[in-house]
Every structure is written in C-alpha cells, then in structure tokens.
Amino acid sequence: MPRVLVADDSIAVSKVAERLLKEAGLTVTLAANAEEAIAHLEKDPPDVVVSDVIMPDKSGYEVCGYVRGHAKIATIPVLL
C-alpha cells in the first residue's frame, strides 16, 4: 500500500487530509512541522510527501530541498 507523509502545522488540515487519503487506500503518516517531516524522511521514507508551504520552523520548500538534496530519497515526489 502506498505511503504518504503529510506535513502541516494545522491539525484540522492534517486530519482532513489523513481521512481522505486513508479512504483512498493509502497509508498516512502525519508530521506537525518540517523538522518532524525530515525526521520521518530519515527514518522511514514514504512514497510521496504532501507539505504545507508555510510552517513555523521551516517551509515546505525547505522540506522539498531536503528531499532533493539526499540521493537516497531524491526521487520521492513532493507536493506543496
């Protein structure tokens, strides 16, 4: 089953995304901020990342830059 990492500082947005993605048959991991998303990427890379652009610690662009900057995970699609 495809795995999706959702990074968003809004609990409401995260929960709605989680519900919709699970209903579509995907496995979902939630991250409350960019640092948490990066920790998940290092530990257990997903098949796709969906990230908010504006978050309090780092932006979604920085999450995308992290993914693209590491050869092991550089091919993971990132949706901002």
PDB file of all heavy atoms in Angstrom, residues 9-23:
ATOM      1  N   ASP A   9       1.221  22.231   9.782  1.00  0.00           N
ATOM      2  CA  ASP A   9       1.109  22.673  11.168  1.00  0.00           C
ATOM      3  C   ASP A   9      -0.341  22.860  11.608  1.00  0.00           C
ATOM      4  O   ASP A   9      -0.615  23.041  12.785  1.00  0.00           O
ATOM      5  CB  ASP A   9       1.912  23.961  11.404  1.00  0.00           C
ATOM      6  CG  ASP A   9       1.472  25.103  10.502  1.00  0.00           C
ATOM      7  OD1 ASP A   9       1.250  24.864   9.307  1.00  0.00           O
ATOM      8  OD2 ASP A   9       1.363  26.228  11.007  1.00  0.00           O
ATOM      9  N   SER A  10      -1.280  22.782  10.690  1.00  0.00           N
ATOM     10  CA  SER A  10      -2.704  22.886  11.021  1.00  0.00           C
ATOM     11  C   SER A  10      -3.250  21.491  11.313  1.00  0.00           C
ATOM     12  O   SER A  10      -3.274  20.629  10.424  1.00  0.00           O
ATOM     13  CB  SER A  10      -3.482  23.513   9.865  1.00  0.00           C
ATOM     14  OG  SER A  10      -4.868  23.346  10.062  1.00  0.00           O
ATOM     15  N   ILE A  11      -3.713  21.303  12.537  1.00  0.00           N
ATOM     16  CA  ILE A  11      -4.263  19.997  12.917  1.00  0.00           C
ATOM     17  C   ILE A  11      -5.489  19.669  12.071  1.00  0.00           C
ATOM     18  O   ILE A  11      -5.652  18.537  11.614  1.00  0.00           O
ATOM     19  CB  ILE A  11      -4.612  19.969  14.418  1.00  0.00           C
ATOM     20  CG1 ILE A  11      -3.334  20.106  15.245  1.00  0.00           C
ATOM     21  CG2 ILE A  11      -5.363  18.701  14.787  1.00  0.00           C
ATOM     22  CD1 ILE A  11      -3.566  20.338  16.723  1.00  0.00           C
ATOM     23  N   ALA A  12      -6.343  20.663  11.833  1.00  0.00           N
ATOM     24  CA  ALA A  12      -7.561  20.437  11.057  1.00  0.00           C
ATOM     25  C   ALA A  12      -7.238  19.985   9.632  1.00  0.00           C
ATOM     26  O   ALA A  12      -7.814  19.012   9.131  1.00  0.00           O
ATOM     27  CB  ALA A  12      -8.414  21.702  11.035  1.00  0.00           C
ATOM     28  N   VAL A  13      -6.311  20.670   8.984  1.00  0.00           N
ATOM     29  CA  VAL A  13      -5.925  20.303   7.614  1.00  0.00           C
ATOM     30  C   VAL A  13      -5.307  18.909   7.593  1.00  0.00           C
ATOM     31  O   VAL A  13      -5.626  18.087   6.735  1.00  0.00           O
ATOM     32  CB  VAL A  13      -4.956  21.347   7.012  1.00  0.00           C
ATOM     33  CG1 VAL A  13      -4.384  20.869   5.695  1.00  0.00           C
ATOM     34  CG2 VAL A  13      -5.655  22.682   6.839  1.00  0.00           C
ATOM     35  N   SER A  14      -4.448  18.626   8.546  1.00  0.00           N
ATOM     36  CA  SER A  14      -3.792  17.315   8.616  1.00  0.00           C
ATOM     37  C   SER A  14      -4.809  16.192   8.769  1.00  0.00           C
ATOM     38  O   SER A  14      -4.719  15.157   8.097  1.00  0.00           O
ATOM     39  CB  SER A  14      -2.806  17.264   9.787  1.00  0.00           C
ATOM     40  OG  SER A  14      -1.735  18.128   9.572  1.00  0.00           O
ATOM     41  N   LYS A  15      -5.778  16.391   9.651  1.00  0.00           N
ATOM     42  CA  LYS A  15      -6.779  15.344   9.900  1.00  0.00           C
ATOM     43  C   LYS A  15      -7.689  15.123   8.691  1.00  0.00           C
ATOM     44  O   LYS A  15      -8.037  13.992   8.368  1.00  0.00           O
ATOM     45  CB  LYS A  15      -7.610  15.685  11.145  1.00  0.00           C
ATOM     46  CG  LYS A  15      -6.831  15.551  12.435  1.00  0.00           C
ATOM     47  CD  LYS A  15      -6.371  14.122  12.618  1.00  0.00           C
ATOM     48  CE  LYS A  15      -5.638  13.927  13.916  1.00  0.00           C
ATOM     49  NZ  LYS A  15      -5.176  12.549  14.079  1.00  0.00           N
ATOM     50  N   VAL A  16      -8.059  16.214   8.011  1.00  0.00           N
ATOM     51  CA  VAL A  16      -8.883  16.070   6.805  1.00  0.00           C
ATOM     52  C   VAL A  16      -8.092  15.335   5.721  1.00  0.00           C
ATOM     53  O   VAL A  16      -8.601  14.404   5.086  1.00  0.00           O
ATOM     54  CB  VAL A  16      -9.385  17.438   6.292  1.00  0.00           C
ATOM     55  CG1 VAL A  16     -10.007  17.317   4.909  1.00  0.00           C
ATOM     56  CG2 VAL A  16     -10.381  18.030   7.277  1.00  0.00           C
ATOM     57  N   ALA A  17      -6.846  15.732   5.514  1.00  0.00           N
ATOM     58  CA  ALA A  17      -6.000  15.061   4.523  1.00  0.00           C
ATOM     59  C   ALA A  17      -5.824  13.589   4.879  1.00  0.00           C
ATOM     60  O   ALA A  17      -5.923  12.715   4.001  1.00  0.00           O
ATOM     61  CB  ALA A  17      -4.644  15.748   4.431  1.00  0.00           C
ATOM     62  N   GLU A  18      -5.586  13.315   6.144  1.00  0.00           N
ATOM     63  CA  GLU A  18      -5.411  11.929   6.591  1.00  0.00           C
ATOM     64  C   GLU A  18      -6.659  11.099   6.290  1.00  0.00           C
ATOM     65  O   GLU A  18      -6.571  10.003   5.747  1.00  0.00           O
ATOM     66  CB  GLU A  18      -5.115  11.903   8.089  1.00  0.00           C
ATOM     67  CG  GLU A  18      -4.951  10.496   8.644  1.00  0.00           C
ATOM     68  CD  GLU A  18      -4.714  10.487  10.141  1.00  0.00           C
ATOM     69  OE1 GLU A  18      -5.307  11.323  10.860  1.00  0.00           O
ATOM     70  OE2 GLU A  18      -3.925   9.644  10.584  1.00  0.00           O
ATOM     71  N   ARG A  19      -7.818  11.628   6.629  1.00  0.00           N
ATOM     72  CA  ARG A  19      -9.060  10.890   6.398  1.00  0.00           C
ATOM     73  C   ARG A  19      -9.273  10.613   4.915  1.00  0.00           C
ATOM     74  O   ARG A  19      -9.572   9.488   4.504  1.00  0.00           O
ATOM     75  CB  ARG A  19     -10.255  11.665   6.954  1.00  0.00           C
ATOM     76  CG  ARG A  19     -11.582  10.922   6.797  1.00  0.00           C
ATOM     77  CD  ARG A  19     -12.747  11.650   7.430  1.00  0.00           C
ATOM     78  NE  ARG A  19     -12.911  13.018   6.990  1.00  0.00           N
ATOM     79  CZ  ARG A  19     -13.540  13.388   5.870  1.00  0.00           C
ATOM     80  NH1 ARG A  19     -14.032  12.471   5.058  1.00  0.00           N
ATOM     81  NH2 ARG A  19     -13.671  14.657   5.561  1.00  0.00           N
ATOM     82  N   LEU A  20      -9.097  11.631   4.076  1.00  0.00           N
ATOM     83  CA  LEU A  20      -9.311  11.463   2.640  1.00  0.00           C
ATOM     84  C   LEU A  20      -8.315  10.488   2.022  1.00  0.00           C
ATOM     85  O   LEU A  20      -8.683   9.656   1.184  1.00  0.00           O
ATOM     86  CB  LEU A  20      -9.241  12.824   1.944  1.00  0.00           C
ATOM     87  CG  LEU A  20     -10.369  13.794   2.277  1.00  0.00           C
ATOM     88  CD1 LEU A  20     -10.074  15.162   1.694  1.00  0.00           C
ATOM     89  CD2 LEU A  20     -11.706  13.260   1.788  1.00  0.00           C
ATOM     90  N   LEU A  21      -7.062  10.595   2.415  1.00  0.00           N
ATOM     91  CA  LEU A  21      -6.041   9.701   1.862  1.00  0.00           C
ATOM     92  C   LEU A  21      -6.237   8.264   2.324  1.00  0.00           C
ATOM     93  O   LEU A  21      -6.056   7.327   1.539  1.00  0.00           O
ATOM     94  CB  LEU A  21      -4.644  10.209   2.220  1.00  0.00           C
ATOM     95  CG  LEU A  21      -4.247  11.530   1.559  1.00  0.00           C
ATOM     96  CD1 LEU A  21      -2.997  12.103   2.211  1.00  0.00           C
ATOM     97  CD2 LEU A  21      -4.059  11.342   0.069  1.00  0.00           C
ATOM     98  N   LYS A  22      -6.625   8.079   3.576  1.00  0.00           N
ATOM     99  CA  LYS A  22      -6.894   6.716   4.070  1.00  0.00           C
ATOM    100  C   LYS A  22      -8.095   6.107   3.359  1.00  0.00           C
ATOM    101  O   LYS A  22      -8.087   4.928   3.042  1.00  0.00           O
ATOM    102  CB  LYS A  22      -7.105   6.722   5.581  1.00  0.00           C
ATOM    103  CG  LYS A  22      -5.811   6.810   6.345  1.00  0.00           C
ATOM    104  CD  LYS A  22      -6.033   6.678   7.844  1.00  0.00           C
ATOM    105  CE  LYS A  22      -4.698   6.612   8.565  1.00  0.00           C
ATOM    106  NZ  LYS A  22      -4.869   6.437  10.016  1.00  0.00           N
ATOM    107  N   GLU A  23      -9.127   6.932   3.118  1.00  0.00           N
ATOM    108  CA  GLU A  23     -10.299   6.449   2.377  1.00  0.00           C
ATOM    109  C   GLU A  23      -9.916   6.021   0.965  1.00  0.00           C
ATOM    110  O   GLU A  23     -10.559   5.157   0.377  1.00  0.00           O
ATOM    111  CB  GLU A  23     -11.387   7.520   2.331  1.00  0.00           C
ATOM    112  CG  GLU A  23     -12.114   7.707   3.637  1.00  0.00           C
ATOM    113  CD  GLU A  23     -13.133   8.838   3.604  1.00  0.00           C
ATOM    114  OE1 GLU A  23     -13.315   9.480   2.534  1.00  0.00           O
ATOM    115  OE2 GLU A  23     -13.737   9.097   4.655  1.00  0.00           O
TER     116      GLU A  23
END
